[in-house]
Amino acid sequence: MKKAYIIGILMIVAGIGYLISATSDVSTYANFSDAKSNSKVKVSGFLIKNKPIVYDPNVDANLTTFFMEDQKGESMKVIYQNSKPQDFEMSESLVVTGKLENDIFYASDILLKCPSKYKDQEVMLRKNE
């Protein structure tokens, strides 16, 4: 066999291996009650702003604790082992990825949906139409 064929086959096998490993990390969307039975899930919801958000970089710069309400209205304490994201309190909604242990959700990632800077302009355009 030619070297080019062998290299091509190895590249195809490596690509397939990469795709398989990438799909194994995909977690499913759930709510907090579904998270009890799964290992790693994504929970979409809202930050509960009237409960404390604990982040003190002088004590532990890699610890943020807050409360979140999922799409079905269930609230839970969330511990994020990283610094608090910028504009965290201004977010419209959150998606946290992680797992539930002992009625506490341990988040490994947080995705924020922040308010659009064009939102007021969109509302104004609708009023003028």
Side-chain angles (χ1 to χ4, degrees):
M1 248 193 200
K2 292 185 177 183
K3 288 182 183 180
Y5 290 139
I6 293 173
I7 292 172
I9 291 171
L10 289 175
M11 289 180 73
I12 291 172
V13 169
I16 292 172
Y18 175 75
L19 289 174
I20 290 172
S21 68
T23 58
S24 67
D25 190 35
V26 175
S27 55
T28 58
Y29 276 91
N31 52 39
F32 286 129
S33 60
D34 295 336
K36 294 175 184 173
S37 61
N38 292 321
S39 58
K40 188 174 183 182
V41 295
K42 292 183 181 188
V43 178
S44 177
F46 307 96
L47 176 67
I48 301 175
K49 295 181 182 179
N50 60 357
K51 289 196 176 182
I53 299 170
V54 179
Y55 174 67
D56 188 358
N58 296 325
V59 175
D60 189 353
N62 289 320
L63 179 65
T64 305
T65 305
F66 58 95
F67 288 85
M68 179 180 160
E69 183 178 319
D70 67 10
Q71 299 291 337
K72 292 198 174 184
E74 185 178 355
S75 62
M76 186 153 301
K77 182 178 184 177
V78 178
I79 295 177
Y80 179 51
Q81 295 287 330
N82 210 333
S83 60
K84 183 174 74 167
Q86 185 177 359
D87 296 332
F88 183 66
E89 291 87 356
M90 294 174 44
S91 65
E92 286 183 356
S93 64
L94 312 168
V95 177
V96 291
T97 304
K99 46 185 158 169
L100 185 66
E101 295 176 9
N102 301 324
D103 292 330
I104 297 174
F105 192 84
Y106 291 90
S108 57
D109 288 317
I110 297 178
L111 178 65
L112 303 176
K113 181 180 179 197
C114 293
S116 172
K117 65 180 183 179
Y118 302 109
K119 188 174 185 176
D120 292 335
Q121 292 176 0
E122 290 175 0
V123 172
M124 287 265 251
L125 287 174
R126 290 183 186 156
K127 287 181 181 179
N128 291 335
E129 289 178 353

